[in-house]
Amino acid sequence: MPQDELRDYARARAADAAGEPVLAAAGYARALAAVPGDPVLAMRAYRQGLAAGDFALATRAAAVLAKAGTAPPDADLLAFAVALHGKDRLGAEKALERLSRAQLDFMVPVLGAWLALDRGQDPLPLLDTARGNALASRFADRNRALLLIASGKADQGLFALAAARGAEDASDRRIDAGIALLRAGRGDKADFVLGDLAGASRAWRQREAKAGRPDAAFGAAHVFLSLAGDLGSEDIAPLSIVLARAALLLDPQEERARLRLADALSRSDATDLALTTLAAIRPDGPFARGAAAGRVAALRRAGRLPEALADARALAAPEGATAQEIRDYGELLVQIERYGEAADVFARALARAGGDGGWELHYLRGAALDRAGRWDAALPELQRAVQLAPDEPQALTWLANAQVERGADLPAAQALLERASKLKPDDPEITDALGRAYYADGQLAKAVPLLEAAVRADPGGARANEHLGDAYWRLGRRVEARYAWRAAEVTADPDDLARLKAKLADGLAQ
């Protein structure tokens, strides 16, 4: 590689590592021009080009990867979107045919149905080819109402939508259908479907109505968006970026794609680009509050806690704030160790949630109260969390550990931890906690094997090593006790070092 291009490549790698995909893509583009057949460079250019929204670079890099036989499965998805955007029907059909031979083949029936709609054909027979494939059938079912609306059969589409009322993604389906109806010129039915959707202003509805009829580009965008939603917070950020970018290319007004893209960029450490993406979401639409919440999540993930806290406080303050928005603010307060304030915020979230509020809010409030030193108030909250979710190890373990620390009702604490251990037998923290509960009750024969197992599973665990050292000391195994305490000392928090040094010097008081 020539010296100038080598310098470009080095700068691109640095920008890549720093979470700056726009700069990285520009550098990789210059390097790829100098060394056009390098598949390693092409893969970097492909991923960073997509993150930056540089479809020309991503397409050029994908061609290099295809020639080398190393193209990822989502390269054909990108090719399909680019061809469809460019009105290249043949290119879209060729990309779809390649997709049918790879891991994303479950998307082919529904994407083919949308292409058939654009050709003036009945899309439903192609949609029905998904039968027999559970994943393909799921996507076909999601798109049936949209295809009927796009085909001019609004009433049948509404009937299909009503049949899916209990589906997990029913809210997104309703919004999809409402947008399709607006674009199909059926504003009356769209108003019925969207109802009082928060933030769905008249201006937003008018923009959607003027965006053009629901065609294959619209349909494919919503297919990609649907798959991105299925991925959720899973650690598949590169695929989420492809899906969200493709959806935006085909339907630039689809702001849920911006939400998904920003989340994936944030998870890839491209914080500034994620924030820029969120800032493009218009404030007079139904996704403005989602953008505000996404901004809080991105800032929190990047460790920019003062900014995240200020934004979260503003989002949680209004009377109309949701329980989730209030909860997010409370979790940030916990992160900066303002436990008493967090407990009060979680109480407000519980009130806003209505009913019992769910086990998680009771657990969060109980844990915050416990950390704030308000055990009498924490206990009923933690007990309620366990009552609502008797098979949630997190709630079981916190309540039991708190009781063990106070020497309160040790048999009950042991029973809770035994249940948690059955649910997560390979979790070293739970194993350690159960061993500690037996130790606190004087049952050393039960405690030591569990504590040893916890240390084997997590040799660097400070708590497990300290607890094992305590148990060894009580059994008179003084050399092994000090060895365990020294191991704990290596990774212990500064606040725990003084206690460990005292044990190493003097052992345990009799």
Side-chain angles (χ1 to χ4, degrees):
M1 186 182 293
Q3 187 172 359
D4 287 347
E5 283 72 20
L6 187 61
R7 188 181 303 113
D8 284 334
Y9 177 70
R11 288 173 177 168
R13 287 295 306 273
D16 191 337
E20 298 179 357
V22 175
L23 289 176
Y28 286 137
R30 290 190 293 270
L32 189 62
V35 191
D38 186 331
V40 175
L41 175 57
M43 180 59 80
R44 293 186 182 280
Y46 175 71
R47 289 299 178 203
Q48 291 301 306
L50 281 168
D54 188 339
F55 291 100
L57 173 60
T59 299
R60 180 156 56 94
V64 175
L65 294 170
K67 187 174 181 179
T70 58
D74 54 65
D76 288 323
L77 187 153
L78 172 67
F80 176 87
V82 169
L84 191 56
H85 174 71
K87 311 297 183 184
D88 178 6
R89 181 183 297 174
L90 181 60
E93 289 175 349
K94 286 182 176 178
L96 197 62
E97 196 277 328
R98 293 193 300 273
L99 274 171
S100 70
R101 302 194 302 267
Q103 293 167 288
L104 298 173
D105 59 345
F106 59 88
M107 303 176 75
V108 170
V110 67
L111 291 175
W114 280 105
L115 287 181
L117 176 77
D118 270 14
R119 292 194 298 267
Q121 299 171 350
D122 183 358
L124 296 185
L126 272 172
L127 200 64
D128 290 339
T129 63
R131 290 174 182 169
N133 181 319
L135 196 50
S137 294
R138 183 177 179 183
F139 277 84
D141 177 58
R142 287 177 177 177
N143 279 262
R144 189 171 298 277
L146 295 183
L147 281 161
L148 286 165
I149 292 168
S151 300
K153 302 173 182 176
D155 289 336
Q156 292 182 43
L158 291 176
F159 182 80
L161 181 67
R165 187 172 297 160
E168 185 179 353
D169 60 345
S171 177
D172 276 327
R173 292 195 194 201
R174 180 168 65 95
I175 296 172
D176 288 344
I179 293 173
L181 288 162
L182 285 168
R183 296 190 184 187
R186 302 303 306 269
D188 55 335
K189 294 187 181 297
D191 288 343
F192 171 75
V193 169
L194 293 170
D196 58 352
L197 175 65
S201 66
R202 181 174 296 278
W204 174 78
R205 295 179 195 229
Q206 289 174 345
R207 284 197 302 274
E208 290 296 341
K210 294 176 181 177
R213 69 182 183 86
D215 57 5
F218 166 89
H222 286 78
V223 173
F224 299 152
L225 182 61
S226 182
L227 179 55
D230 284 349
L231 297 177
S233 61
E234 293 181 32
D235 191 19
I236 318 179
L239 179 55
S240 295
I241 288 172
V242 177
L243 291 165
R245 282 291 186 199
L248 278 173
L249 177 68
L250 296 173
D251 188 357
Q253 287 197 179
E254 182 43 81
E255 296 196 318
R256 285 170 297 175
R258 286 191 172 82
L259 292 175
R260 295 291 180 193
L261 175 60
D263 182 69
L265 289 169
S266 168
R267 292 178 187 280
S268 301
D269 298 325
T271 305
D272 289 340
L273 187 55
L275 296 176
T276 300
T277 301
L278 291 168
I281 295 176
R282 297 181 65 144
D284 61 350
F287 311 110
R289 292 191 72 83
R295 178 179 166 82
V296 170
L299 290 168
R300 182 180 181 183
R301 201 173 284 127
R304 293 163 58 174
L305 296 184
E307 294 171 83
L309 190 68
D311 283 8
R313 184 190 302 114
L315 195 58
E319 282 299 314
T322 67
Q324 183 62 53
E325 290 165 346
I326 300 169
R327 170 180 166 168
D328 290 344
Y329 177 42
E331 289 183 336
L332 271 166
L333 289 169
V334 167
Q335 193 168 344
I336 60 173
E337 301 182 3
R338 288 161 57 177
Y339 301 122
E341 292 176 65
D344 293 340
V345 170
F346 291 135
R348 183 170 163 238
L350 277 163
R352 182 59 48 85
D356 215 316
W359 76 270
E360 288 181 302
L361 281 174
H362 284 284
Y363 164 76
L364 289 168
R365 175 164 162 75
L369 287 165
D370 184 17
R371 284 171 157 172
R374 296 163 59 186
W375 173 243
D376 288 345
L379 179 60
E381 294 287 355
L382 293 168
Q383 289 174 329
R384 185 57 181 155
V386 168
Q387 184 181 14
L388 291 171
D391 294 326
E392 286 292 344
Q394 192 175 17
L396 295 168
T397 303
W398 192 290
L399 174 57
N401 278 338
Q403 290 177 315
V404 170
E405 285 177 11
R406 293 165 175 82
D409 202 354
L410 292 177
Q414 291 161 12
L416 292 172
L417 288 166
E418 286 165 358
R419 191 190 313 165
S421 184
K422 287 180 182 177
L423 292 165
K424 295 185 73 174
D426 299 323
D427 188 314
E429 291 187 6
I430 293 175
T431 305
D432 167 57
L434 180 56
R436 186 64 172 174
Y438 287 134
Y439 169 88
D441 202 27
Q443 300 183 56
L444 296 178
K446 282 186 174 183
V448 168
L450 288 165
L451 295 170
E452 289 174 335
V455 169
R456 283 195 301 272
D458 182 15
R463 288 175 59 85
N465 274 294
E466 181 179 2
H467 294 161
L468 179 59
D470 294 350
Y472 280 156
W473 185 273
R474 293 299 184 203
L475 288 171
R477 297 162 62 175
R478 305 299 167 84
V479 173
E480 292 168 283
R482 286 195 165 90
Y483 181 86
W485 289 333
R486 286 194 183 93
E489 197 177 23
V490 174
T491 57
D493 293 334
D495 293 344
D496 298 326
L497 286 175
R499 183 180 65 251
L500 285 165
K501 289 184 183 300
K503 290 180 180 182
L504 283 165
D506 304 319
L508 296 178
Q510 297 299 320

